[in-house]
Amino acid sequence: GIQVEQSPPDLILQEGANSTLRCNFSDSVNNLQWFHQNPWGQLINLFYIPSGTKQNGRLSATTVATERYSLLYISSSQTTDSGVYFCAAQPYGQNFVFGPGTRLSVLP
Amino acid sequence: EAGVVQSPRYKIIEKKQPVAFWCNPISGHNTLYWYLQNLGQGPELLIRYENEEAVDDSQLPKDRFSAERLKGVDSTLKIQPAELGDSAVYLCASSLGLAGGISYNEQFFGPGTRLTVL
């Protein structure tokens, strides 16, 4: 089945810094989602982005399906951005597979 | 619009006891998923329903786990008997599914049930 990798595994930032999280997947996908898991364990939808670029406030995401990767950009990070960021990729006709996550800590 | 509802939020049981988790998906969502999340890892699919049909239960340990989605709305996941290794967070998610010939697969998650088996 599809393999989903995320990098870096851990990231520590000072408040106000920018960051880029990467998600690589080993097979063609027709769906991809980014989630933020907050310290209480809730998975919050960030982007549903099988291809192209989307922006939502300080966050944006780009998926290049032909090259099998997706990027999540966080600008002007805040302490509330701390948590674990997951990408989940879905090949056509199959289930979503989650990556191992990137644990982000934003320091005040 | 209400999100995915799960109960209980926390459950502590002794090994060999049974336990059940309940999920009510977003209204109108045809697809329902149960995931297992171990500490420090991403969620892993246990079972996927399309309406009341379990279309993929290949990852469900059927010797002790069972699930049902009567009437294609809410769902129950059961473990009997529970083992120490079942301690984890059990997540339910839903998506709209097939509508007008188009698949809408964006998943929305509930808050999860944290199970501790002693």
Side-chain angles (χ1 to χ4, degrees):
Chain A
I2 189 173
Q3 302 297 313
V4 181
E5 300 175 346
Q6 291 186 244
S7 60
D10 296 279
L11 186 59
I12 301 175
L13 298 175
Q14 206 67 39
E15 198 168 26
N18 303 328
S19 62
T20 301
L21 282 59
R22 187 176 180 103
C23 172
N24 291 333
F25 37 94
S26 62
D27 202 353
S28 299
V29 300
N30 68 324
N31 289 305
L32 188 130
Q33 282 190 257
W34 282 98
F35 297 90
H36 174 213
Q37 190 163 43
N38 64 22
W40 296 272
Q42 176 72 56
L43 278 164
I44 299 166
N45 289 37
L46 297 178
F47 295 101
Y48 179 63
I49 185 167
S51 63
T53 297
K54 291 186 178 180
Q55 181 156 7
N56 185 2
R58 297 180 296 103
L59 274 59
S60 64
T62 295
T63 295
V64 184
T66 53
E67 298 187 20
R68 301 183 183 175
Y69 72 89
S70 183
L71 302 174
L72 177 69
Y73 306 95
I74 305 174
S75 64
S76 304
S77 58
Q78 301 176 358
T79 56
T80 51
D81 295 332
S82 296
V84 183
Y85 289 80
F86 289 103
C87 69
Q90 183 185 33
Y92 184 79
Q94 300 180 38
N95 295 308
F96 276 96
V97 173
F98 279 75
T102 292
R103 182 174 300 276
L104 175 64
S105 298
V106 181
L107 305 178
Chain B
E1 177 181 289
V4 177
V5 179
Q6 290 189 246
S7 68
R9 292 294 314 279
Y10 304 91
K11 189 72 177 179
I12 301 174
I13 61 172
E14 294 189 347
K15 63 181 181 182
K16 302 185 180 179
Q17 295 300 305
V19 64
F21 315 123
W22 178 79
C23 172
N24 193 35
I26 293 173
S27 178
H29 279 197
N30 299 315
T31 306
L32 184 146
Y33 314 79
W34 282 104
Y35 285 88
L36 166 70
Q37 186 176 24
N38 287 307
L39 190 64
Q41 299 180 22
E44 299 172 16
L45 183 72
L46 289 172
I47 188 169
R48 175 169 64 96
Y49 282 93
E50 298 289 347
N51 299 301
E52 66 276 8
E53 182 183 358
V55 296
D56 188 343
D57 63 356
S58 58
Q59 302 304 310
L60 190 71
K62 299 180 186 63
D63 57 335
R64 298 184 300 107
F65 287 65
S66 64
E68 60 182 13
R69 190 184 184 196
L70 300 176
K71 301 181 181 178
V73 181
D74 56 350
S75 177
T76 302
L77 177 69
K78 298 179 181 178
I79 308 175
Q80 182 171 13
E83 297 179 352
L84 295 177
D86 296 331
S87 295
V89 176
Y90 292 82
L91 294 163
C92 179
S94 70
S95 61
L96 183 58
L98 196 61
I102 300 173
S103 287
Y104 297 91
N105 293 333
E106 183 177 8
Q107 300 176 98
F108 297 86
F109 280 81
T113 297
R114 183 175 298 276
L115 174 67
T116 301
V117 182
L118 304 176

mmCIF file of all heavy atoms in Angstrom, chain A residues 64-99:
data_model
loop_
_atom_site.group_PDB
_atom_site.id
_atom_site.type_symbol
_atom_site.label_atom_id
_atom_site.label_comp_id
_atom_site.label_asym_id
_atom_site.label_seq_id
_atom_site.Cartn_x
_atom_site.Cartn_y
_atom_site.Cartn_z
ATOM 1 N N VAL A 64 1.666 19.014 -5.065
ATOM 2 C CA VAL A 64 2.125 18.734 -6.428
ATOM 3 C C VAL A 64 1.938 17.242 -6.635
ATOM 4 O O VAL A 64 2.820 16.425 -6.323
ATOM 5 C CB VAL A 64 3.592 19.162 -6.628
ATOM 6 C CG1 VAL A 64 4.000 18.942 -8.072
ATOM 7 C CG2 VAL A 64 3.785 20.627 -6.228
ATOM 8 N N ALA A 65 0.761 16.887 -7.134
ATOM 9 C CA ALA A 65 0.394 15.479 -7.212
ATOM 10 C C ALA A 65 1.322 14.692 -8.123
ATOM 11 O O ALA A 65 1.644 13.532 -7.848
ATOM 12 C CB ALA A 65 -1.056 15.357 -7.675
ATOM 13 N N THR A 66 1.779 15.312 -9.207
ATOM 14 C CA THR A 66 2.626 14.606 -10.158
ATOM 15 C C THR A 66 3.974 14.250 -9.550
ATOM 16 O O THR A 66 4.621 13.295 -9.981
ATOM 17 C CB THR A 66 2.840 15.452 -11.417
ATOM 18 O OG1 THR A 66 3.319 16.745 -11.020
ATOM 19 C CG2 THR A 66 1.546 15.607 -12.203
ATOM 20 N N GLU A 67 4.418 15.042 -8.554
ATOM 21 C CA GLU A 67 5.687 14.761 -7.897
ATOM 22 C C GLU A 67 5.501 14.143 -6.523
ATOM 23 O O GLU A 67 6.456 13.929 -5.786
ATOM 24 C CB GLU A 67 6.520 16.040 -7.815
ATOM 25 C CG GLU A 67 6.869 16.586 -9.187
ATOM 26 C CD GLU A 67 7.833 17.753 -9.124
ATOM 27 O OE1 GLU A 67 8.523 17.911 -8.104
ATOM 28 O OE2 GLU A 67 7.884 18.530 -10.106
ATOM 29 N N ARG A 68 4.259 13.880 -6.162
ATOM 30 C CA ARG A 68 3.908 13.108 -4.966
ATOM 31 C C ARG A 68 4.389 13.762 -3.664
ATOM 32 O O ARG A 68 5.019 13.111 -2.814
ATOM 33 C CB ARG A 68 4.419 11.666 -5.081
ATOM 34 C CG ARG A 68 3.835 10.949 -6.290
ATOM 35 C CD ARG A 68 4.256 9.522 -6.387
ATOM 36 N NE ARG A 68 3.733 8.906 -7.600
ATOM 37 C CZ ARG A 68 4.032 7.675 -8.001
ATOM 38 N NH1 ARG A 68 4.872 6.944 -7.286
ATOM 39 N NH2 ARG A 68 3.498 7.184 -9.102
ATOM 40 N N TYR A 69 4.084 15.054 -3.539
ATOM 41 C CA TYR A 69 4.352 15.693 -2.262
ATOM 42 C C TYR A 69 3.384 16.836 -2.028
ATOM 43 O O TYR A 69 2.745 17.349 -2.962
ATOM 44 C CB TYR A 69 5.800 16.190 -2.158
ATOM 45 C CG TYR A 69 6.126 17.409 -3.006
ATOM 46 C CD1 TYR A 69 5.942 18.700 -2.515
ATOM 47 C CD2 TYR A 69 6.635 17.264 -4.298
ATOM 48 C CE1 TYR A 69 6.243 19.809 -3.275
ATOM 49 C CE2 TYR A 69 6.941 18.367 -5.065
ATOM 50 C CZ TYR A 69 6.747 19.635 -4.553
ATOM 51 O OH TYR A 69 7.046 20.732 -5.324
ATOM 52 N N SER A 70 3.276 17.192 -0.750
ATOM 53 C CA SER A 70 2.470 18.339 -0.357
ATOM 54 C C SER A 70 3.233 19.115 0.707
ATOM 55 O O SER A 70 3.977 18.511 1.506
ATOM 56 C CB SER A 70 1.109 17.889 0.180
ATOM 57 O OG SER A 70 0.295 18.991 0.501
ATOM 58 N N LEU A 71 3.066 20.421 0.706
ATOM 59 C CA LEU A 71 3.727 21.301 1.657
ATOM 60 C C LEU A 71 2.698 22.111 2.425
ATOM 61 O O LEU A 71 1.711 22.578 1.852
ATOM 62 C CB LEU A 71 4.689 22.243 0.939
ATOM 63 C CG LEU A 71 5.805 21.610 0.102
ATOM 64 C CD1 LEU A 71 6.562 22.690 -0.661
ATOM 65 C CD2 LEU A 71 6.746 20.812 0.971
ATOM 66 N N LEU A 72 2.947 22.263 3.712
ATOM 67 C CA LEU A 72 2.112 23.130 4.552
ATOM 68 C C LEU A 72 2.994 24.260 5.059
ATOM 69 O O LEU A 72 4.048 24.013 5.663
ATOM 70 C CB LEU A 72 1.527 22.345 5.717
ATOM 71 C CG LEU A 72 0.693 23.144 6.727
ATOM 72 C CD1 LEU A 72 -0.612 23.608 6.073
ATOM 73 C CD2 LEU A 72 0.379 22.313 7.971
ATOM 74 N N TYR A 73 2.587 25.501 4.788
ATOM 75 C CA TYR A 73 3.330 26.670 5.221
ATOM 76 C C TYR A 73 2.610 27.336 6.388
ATOM 77 O O TYR A 73 1.403 27.557 6.322
ATOM 78 C CB TYR A 73 3.447 27.699 4.103
ATOM 79 C CG TYR A 73 4.024 27.183 2.816
ATOM 80 C CD1 TYR A 73 3.186 26.757 1.785
ATOM 81 C CD2 TYR A 73 5.391 27.155 2.601
ATOM 82 C CE1 TYR A 73 3.697 26.296 0.585
ATOM 83 C CE2 TYR A 73 5.916 26.700 1.400
ATOM 84 C CZ TYR A 73 5.064 26.273 0.398
ATOM 85 O OH TYR A 73 5.577 25.817 -0.784
ATOM 86 N N ILE A 74 3.368 27.636 7.426
ATOM 87 C CA ILE A 74 2.823 28.384 8.555
ATOM 88 C C ILE A 74 3.642 29.666 8.673
ATOM 89 O O ILE A 74 4.866 29.613 8.845
ATOM 90 C CB ILE A 74 2.905 27.593 9.869
ATOM 91 C CG1 ILE A 74 2.220 26.231 9.721
ATOM 92 C CG2 ILE A 74 2.282 28.388 11.021
ATOM 93 C CD1 ILE A 74 2.384 25.319 10.944
ATOM 94 N N SER A 75 2.979 30.795 8.564
ATOM 95 C CA SER A 75 3.689 32.069 8.680
ATOM 96 C C SER A 75 3.343 32.737 10.012
ATOM 97 O O SER A 75 2.274 32.509 10.577
ATOM 98 C CB SER A 75 3.327 32.994 7.523
ATOM 99 O OG SER A 75 1.954 33.322 7.570
ATOM 100 N N SER A 76 4.279 33.525 10.493
ATOM 101 C CA SER A 76 4.089 34.278 11.739
ATOM 102 C C SER A 76 3.497 33.380 12.828
ATOM 103 O O SER A 76 2.430 33.658 13.389
ATOM 104 C CB SER A 76 3.173 35.482 11.502
ATOM 105 O OG SER A 76 3.682 36.305 10.484
ATOM 106 N N SER A 77 4.199 32.311 13.131
ATOM 107 C CA SER A 77 3.655 31.287 14.026
ATOM 108 C C SER A 77 3.297 31.860 15.400
ATOM 109 O O SER A 77 3.919 32.810 15.885
ATOM 110 C CB SER A 77 4.645 30.134 14.174
ATOM 111 O OG SER A 77 5.873 30.605 14.665
ATOM 112 N N GLN A 78 2.265 31.257 15.998
ATOM 113 C CA GLN A 78 1.791 31.640 17.320
ATOM 114 C C GLN A 78 1.833 30.410 18.224
ATOM 115 O O GLN A 78 1.850 29.275 17.745
ATOM 116 C CB GLN A 78 0.367 32.178 17.217
ATOM 117 C CG GLN A 78 0.239 33.377 16.297
ATOM 118 C CD GLN A 78 -1.187 33.845 16.112
ATOM 119 O OE1 GLN A 78 -2.127 33.262 16.646
ATOM 120 N NE2 GLN A 78 -1.359 34.930 15.362
ATOM 121 N N THR A 79 1.817 30.657 19.531
ATOM 122 C CA THR A 79 1.900 29.524 20.470
ATOM 123 C C THR A 79 0.727 28.567 20.275
ATOM 124 O O THR A 79 0.868 27.358 20.497
ATOM 125 C CB THR A 79 1.937 30.018 21.918
ATOM 126 O OG1 THR A 79 0.798 30.832 22.169
ATOM 127 C CG2 THR A 79 3.218 30.818 22.186
ATOM 128 N N THR A 80 -0.391 29.083 19.823
ATOM 129 C CA THR A 80 -1.575 28.236 19.600
ATOM 130 C C THR A 80 -1.409 27.315 18.386
ATOM 131 O O THR A 80 -2.234 26.422 18.170
ATOM 132 C CB THR A 80 -2.825 29.090 19.407
ATOM 133 O OG1 THR A 80 -2.561 30.069 18.405
ATOM 134 C CG2 THR A 80 -3.211 29.789 20.707
ATOM 135 N N ASP A 81 -0.358 27.534 17.600
ATOM 136 C CA ASP A 81 -0.087 26.633 16.478
ATOM 137 C C ASP A 81 0.586 25.337 16.941
ATOM 138 O O ASP A 81 0.727 24.391 16.162
ATOM 139 C CB ASP A 81 0.825 27.303 15.441
ATOM 140 C CG ASP A 81 0.176 28.491 14.769
ATOM 141 O OD1 ASP A 81 -1.070 28.513 14.657
ATOM 142 O OD2 ASP A 81 0.915 29.419 14.365
ATOM 143 N N SER A 82 1.002 25.280 18.173
ATOM 144 C CA SER A 82 1.665 24.080 18.702
ATOM 145 C C SER A 82 0.736 22.874 18.613
ATOM 146 O O SER A 82 -0.483 22.995 18.713
ATOM 147 C CB SER A 82 2.095 24.313 20.151
ATOM 148 O OG SER A 82 3.056 25.323 20.247
ATOM 149 N N GLY A 83 1.350 21.712 18.430
ATOM 150 C CA GLY A 83 0.591 20.477 18.306
ATOM 151 C C GLY A 83 1.249 19.592 17.263
ATOM 152 O O GLY A 83 2.405 19.786 16.898
ATOM 153 N N VAL A 84 0.492 18.625 16.791
ATOM 154 C CA VAL A 84 1.000 17.698 15.782
ATOM 155 C C VAL A 84 0.234 17.919 14.486
ATOM 156 O O VAL A 84 -0.999 18.002 14.485
ATOM 157 C CB VAL A 84 0.858 16.234 16.235
ATOM 158 C CG1 VAL A 84 1.478 15.294 15.191
ATOM 159 C CG2 VAL A 84 1.522 16.030 17.596
ATOM 160 N N TYR A 85 0.971 18.004 13.397
ATOM 161 C CA TYR A 85 0.382 18.203 12.078
ATOM 162 C C TYR A 85 0.478 16.894 11.298
ATOM 163 O O TYR A 85 1.557 16.318 11.162
ATOM 164 C CB TYR A 85 1.097 19.326 11.336
ATOM 165 C CG TYR A 85 0.782 20.670 11.941
ATOM 166 C CD1 TYR A 85 1.439 21.100 13.091
ATOM 167 C CD2 TYR A 85 -0.190 21.502 11.385
ATOM 168 C CE1 TYR A 85 1.126 22.317 13.675
ATOM 169 C CE2 TYR A 85 -0.506 22.721 11.965
ATOM 170 C CZ TYR A 85 0.153 23.118 13.105
ATOM 171 O OH TYR A 85 -0.165 24.322 13.690
ATOM 172 N N PHE A 86 -0.666 16.427 10.833
ATOM 173 C CA PHE A 86 -0.729 15.191 10.053
ATOM 174 C C PHE A 86 -1.171 15.484 8.632
ATOM 175 O O PHE A 86 -2.050 16.322 8.411
ATOM 176 C CB PHE A 86 -1.746 14.210 10.659
ATOM 177 C CG PHE A 86 -1.331 13.602 11.957
ATOM 178 C CD1 PHE A 86 -1.872 14.054 13.157
ATOM 179 C CD2 PHE A 86 -0.421 12.559 11.997
ATOM 180 C CE1 PHE A 86 -1.502 13.487 14.361
ATOM 181 C CE2 PHE A 86 -0.045 11.986 13.203
ATOM 182 C CZ PHE A 86 -0.587 12.457 14.384
ATOM 183 N N CYS A 87 -0.577 14.768 7.693
ATOM 184 C CA CYS A 87 -1.167 14.700 6.367
ATOM 185 C C CYS A 87 -1.749 13.301 6.175
ATOM 186 O O CYS A 87 -1.278 12.334 6.789
ATOM 187 C CB CYS A 87 -0.166 15.022 5.258
ATOM 188 S SG CYS A 87 1.124 13.793 5.033
ATOM 189 N N ALA A 88 -2.785 13.203 5.385
ATOM 190 C CA ALA A 88 -3.427 11.926 5.076
ATOM 191 C C ALA A 88 -3.662 11.888 3.580
ATOM 192 O O ALA A 88 -4.261 12.802 3.014
ATOM 193 C CB ALA A 88 -4.738 11.785 5.845
ATOM 194 N N ALA A 89 -3.183 10.828 2.947
ATOM 195 C CA ALA A 89 -3.276 10.695 1.491
ATOM 196 C C ALA A 89 -4.185 9.529 1.130
ATOM 197 O O ALA A 89 -4.150 8.476 1.780
ATOM 198 C CB ALA A 89 -1.883 10.483 0.903
ATOM 199 N N GLN A 90 -4.973 9.720 0.091
ATOM 200 C CA GLN A 90 -5.909 8.689 -0.343
ATOM 201 C C GLN A 90 -5.709 8.356 -1.812
ATOM 202 O O GLN A 90 -6.042 9.173 -2.686
ATOM 203 C CB GLN A 90 -7.354 9.142 -0.133
ATOM 204 C CG GLN A 90 -8.382 8.074 -0.509
ATOM 205 C CD GLN A 90 -9.814 8.571 -0.417
ATOM 206 O OE1 GLN A 90 -10.078 9.746 -0.679
ATOM 207 N NE2 GLN A 90 -10.733 7.691 -0.051
ATOM 208 N N PRO A 91 -5.155 7.162 -2.113
ATOM 209 C CA PRO A 91 -5.114 6.735 -3.516
ATOM 210 C C PRO A 91 -6.532 6.475 -4.015
ATOM 211 O O PRO A 91 -7.444 6.212 -3.224
ATOM 212 C CB PRO A 91 -4.305 5.432 -3.457
ATOM 213 C CG PRO A 91 -3.618 5.455 -2.135
ATOM 214 C CD PRO A 91 -4.515 6.206 -1.219
ATOM 215 N N TYR A 92 -6.696 6.515 -5.328
ATOM 216 C CA TYR A 92 -8.027 6.328 -5.906
ATOM 217 C C TYR A 92 -8.610 4.979 -5.504
ATOM 218 O O TYR A 92 -7.967 3.949 -5.627
ATOM 219 C CB TYR A 92 -7.959 6.426 -7.434
ATOM 220 C CG TYR A 92 -9.318 6.340 -8.065
ATOM 221 C CD1 TYR A 92 -10.173 7.435 -8.085
ATOM 222 C CD2 TYR A 92 -9.767 5.136 -8.621
ATOM 223 C CE1 TYR A 92 -11.433 7.352 -8.642
ATOM 224 C CE2 TYR A 92 -11.027 5.050 -9.183
ATOM 225 C CZ TYR A 92 -11.850 6.150 -9.197
ATOM 226 O OH TYR A 92 -13.104 6.060 -9.731
ATOM 227 N N GLY A 93 -9.833 4.994 -4.981
ATOM 228 C CA GLY A 93 -10.530 3.775 -4.627
ATOM 229 C C GLY A 93 -10.053 3.111 -3.352
ATOM 230 O O GLY A 93 -10.501 2.009 -3.017
ATOM 231 N N GLN A 94 -9.152 3.760 -2.630
ATOM 232 C CA GLN A 94 -8.633 3.178 -1.393
ATOM 233 C C GLN A 94 -8.904 4.122 -0.223
ATOM 234 O O GLN A 94 -9.518 5.165 -0.374
ATOM 235 C CB GLN A 94 -7.127 2.911 -1.524
ATOM 236 C CG GLN A 94 -6.776 1.955 -2.646
ATOM 237 C CD GLN A 94 -5.280 1.715 -2.738
ATOM 238 O OE1 GLN A 94 -4.583 1.622 -1.720
ATOM 239 N NE2 GLN A 94 -4.786 1.620 -3.959
ATOM 240 N N ASN A 95 -8.455 3.699 0.954
ATOM 241 C CA ASN A 95 -8.680 4.503 2.145
ATOM 242 C C ASN A 95 -7.561 5.519 2.354
ATOM 243 O O ASN A 95 -6.459 5.390 1.809
ATOM 244 C CB ASN A 95 -8.757 3.602 3.378
ATOM 245 C CG ASN A 95 -9.953 2.680 3.340
ATOM 246 O OD1 ASN A 95 -11.092 3.127 3.144
ATOM 247 N ND2 ASN A 95 -9.713 1.385 3.501
ATOM 248 N N PHE A 96 -7.843 6.529 3.161
ATOM 249 C CA PHE A 96 -6.812 7.473 3.566
ATOM 250 C C PHE A 96 -5.763 6.747 4.410
ATOM 251 O O PHE A 96 -6.091 5.899 5.246
ATOM 252 C CB PHE A 96 -7.412 8.595 4.408
ATOM 253 C CG PHE A 96 -8.018 9.713 3.615
ATOM 254 C CD1 PHE A 96 -9.375 9.743 3.347
ATOM 255 C CD2 PHE A 96 -7.225 10.762 3.157
ATOM 256 C CE1 PHE A 96 -9.940 10.784 2.625
ATOM 257 C CE2 PHE A 96 -7.779 11.805 2.443
ATOM 258 C CZ PHE A 96 -9.136 11.821 2.169
ATOM 259 N N VAL A 97 -4.492 7.134 4.201
ATOM 260 C CA VAL A 97 -3.393 6.661 5.041
ATOM 261 C C VAL A 97 -2.713 7.893 5.619
ATOM 262 O O VAL A 97 -2.371 8.830 4.881
ATOM 263 C CB VAL A 97 -2.385 5.819 4.235
ATOM 264 C CG1 VAL A 97 -1.169 5.475 5.092
ATOM 265 C CG2 VAL A 97 -3.056 4.546 3.738
ATOM 266 N N PHE A 98 -2.531 7.883 6.939
ATOM 267 C CA PHE A 98 -1.930 9.013 7.621
ATOM 268 C C PHE A 98 -0.419 8.860 7.694
ATOM 269 O O PHE A 98 0.117 7.749 7.812
ATOM 270 C CB PHE A 98 -2.470 9.113 9.052
ATOM 271 C CG PHE A 98 -3.814 9.778 9.150
ATOM 272 C CD1 PHE A 98 -4.966 9.110 8.762
ATOM 273 C CD2 PHE A 98 -3.930 11.068 9.631
ATOM 274 C CE1 PHE A 98 -6.214 9.720 8.852
ATOM 275 C CE2 PHE A 98 -5.168 11.686 9.728
ATOM 276 C CZ PHE A 98 -6.311 11.012 9.325
ATOM 277 N N GLY A 99 0.260 10.005 7.661
ATOM 278 C CA GLY A 99 1.680 10.028 7.954
ATOM 279 C C GLY A 99 1.915 9.998 9.446
ATOM 280 O O GLY A 99 0.965 10.048 10.239
#
